[in-house]
Each structure stands twice: as C-alpha cells, then as structure tokens.
Amino acid sequence: MLDDFMTRASLAGIGVALAAAPLGCFVVWRRMAYFGDATAHAAILGVALSLALQLSIFVGAIVVALIMALTVTALAGRGYAMDTLLGVLAHSALAFGLVAVSFLSGIRIDLMAYLFGDILAVSRSDLLVIWGGATLVVALIAWRWSPLLTATLNEELAYASGIDPRREQLILTVALAITVAVAIKVVGVLLIAAMLIIPAAAARSLARTPEAMALIAAVIGTISAVAGLRAAYFLDTPAGPSIVCVAAVLFAALSAVNWRNRAGT
C-alpha cells in the first residue's frame, strides 16, 4: 500500500493538516499569522545548517524555527512594533538561509522543494517523522487545551486561574516549531502559514465552539490536502500550491455562504 507515491503523499498531507488544525485556530484567535510566517521562513536557515552539518533536516528546521519563535517572544515590546519586528526577522532569516544554501558546495539541493514543498517525494521515513510530529503536536495541544484557551481569551483571567500566559505562549511556540519542521516536505516554508491559517479561518464561520472549530479545521485541511493532490495529479500543477489553492477556494465558498446567510436574516 505504501509503495504507491500518491498514498504516501496523501498520508503526509493528512498528517500535516491534523497538526496544523488546532494550532491554526490559536494562531487565528491570537492574531499570530505573521508570527507563524516568520517561524516558517526561519526554517530554511535550519535546512542549510542541517545539510552543512550533515544532520537531519527535521532537527535543523525545528531548532532554528524554535530559536526564531523564542527570539520574537523575547524581543516583543522592547521598542519595536510586533509587525515590524516580525517583518525584519522573517525576511532576514529567509535571506540568510538562501545565502547559506548557496555556500553548500558538493551538495545537491532542490531549493524549490524546500520553498514550495515536494510532497510527491515523501518516503516512508518522512511519513514516520510527519506523523510522529503531528501526534506530538496534537497531544500537546490536547493536554494544554483549557489553559491555552483561557490564556488566549483573557490574560488577567488566566492569572486569576493560576495559569501563566507566558508558559502557554511557550507551549504554542514549541508546537509551532514542530509543525513547521514536519510541514516543510509537504508544502514548503513559503506555504506553511497558509495551511495554518486558511483552514482555521474557513472553519470559524461554521463553528459554535472552539473545539468544533478545531475539528472542522482538521476536516477542511484534510479535504484540501487530498483534493489538492488529486488536482495536481490530473492538471500537472505543483502539489503544495495546489493544496493551498483548494483550501483558499473552500474558504471563499464558506465565507460566501456565511455572508449570504447573514444577509438573509
């Protein structure tokens, strides 16, 4: 069964969708879209360092993504607006990563695969990494769901309930770094933020509870991954961008339906 490259690709896409769904909800609720983008951009520097040091791509990507996320958290509120800080760090990390890759002599690297994903080349070992990381992210979010939700809704309420919002932010940061690391192979660093944000944003108009929103986002992400792969196969288009295109179409359709329902009431 796993000898079929489309089966492996579908499983990889579903794994990333399941990891990105609950995390993407918190990204939307906390308005952290650019934060996720900055963390993803930093991952290309991790790829370059991994290749230079002959380490696992997953290890390099997760370490650098985590360092970037922690750096942004530490520097926030120290004289720079958050969007300015994220813009500087995101594009600087991407640029340094691309320059670092150019210095890797004797190593063949498909840069487009890391920028936009190469889901059709996913191997069995890649599947183990993707599903292992997805399981860890889902378990982490499920374990801290209530404290994370409280800290997201109101920091003062969180403190009153004995919850440290900074600790919950750190947990989200770790989960985000893991998701970025496992998603590189599927959609690439430039499209990871889209898989975090678009399914969650699409689910928002359908959900009545936070839990329902996370579940619906997972369903939308899964449909996007499978349908996007099929579209890429039949239309001969890039797989990663095709997955994001399907997610965007679903978001537009659901938003239109929601707008029509509101207009009719």
Side-chain angles (χ1 to χ4, degrees):
M1 177 182 176
L2 292 182
D3 290 333
D4 185 352
F5 75 97
M6 284 298 289
T7 300
R8 294 195 301 270
S10 297
L11 289 174
I14 293 171
V16 170
L18 294 179
L23 186 60
C25 292
F26 284 102
V27 169
V28 170
W29 293 331
R30 288 173 172 254
R31 299 181 180 179
M32 293 170 55
Y34 211 2
F35 184 85
D37 209 25
T39 306
H41 283 185
I44 197 67
L45 180 58
V47 170
L49 294 176
S50 296
L51 293 173
L53 300 174
Q54 296 184 342
L55 298 174
S56 166
I57 297 296
F58 175 78
V59 172
I62 193 173
V63 168
V64 175
L66 186 56
I67 291 174
M68 166 64 83
L70 293 175
T71 300
V72 171
T73 302
L75 294 178
R78 297 193 178 185
Y80 294 98
M82 178 61 79
D83 59 342
T84 301
L85 182 63
L86 287 172
V88 170
L89 292 177
H91 299 297
S92 297
L94 180 60
F96 276 111
L98 294 175
V99 170
V101 167
S102 70
F103 284 109
L104 298 175
S105 59
I107 299 177
R108 295 186 62 185
I109 175 173
D110 184 0
L111 193 57
M112 294 297 288
Y114 290 107
L115 291 177
F116 297 103
D118 191 13
I119 190 173
L120 298 179
V122 167
S123 64
R124 293 188 179 193
S125 58
D126 291 329
L127 277 179
L128 289 176
V129 171
I130 291 171
W131 276 90
T135 301
L136 183 58
V137 169
V138 172
L140 191 61
I141 297 297
W143 171 51
R144 302 299 300 172
W145 179 266
S146 183
L148 280 170
L149 196 56
T150 303
T152 298
L153 294 174
N154 192 307
E155 287 193 1
E156 294 182 0
L157 178 61
Y159 279 119
S161 302
I163 299 169
D164 185 357
R166 291 173 298 180
R167 180 184 61 198
E168 306 309 320
Q169 174 69 33
L170 178 60
I171 291 172
L172 277 180
T173 298
V174 171
L176 182 60
I178 296 172
T179 302
V180 166
V182 301
I184 286 179
K185 190 77 172 181
V186 177
V187 290
V189 298
L190 297 183
L191 300 176
I192 291 173
M195 285 304 292
L196 284 169
I197 299 165
I198 297 177
R204 196 169 192 172
S205 62
L206 299 177
R208 296 183 179 273
T209 65
E211 293 80 7
M213 181 171 165
L215 291 174
I216 295 172
V219 172
I220 292 174
T222 298
I223 293 173
S224 300
V226 175
L229 278 171
R230 294 298 182 268
Y233 181 79
F234 289 110
L235 300 176
D236 194 23
T237 55
S242 296
I243 291 172
V244 176
C245 285
V246 172
V249 169
L250 290 175
F251 170 76
L254 291 173
S255 297
V257 171
N258 184 54
W259 176 82
R260 181 178 179 181
N261 290 339
R262 288 185 176 182
T265 57

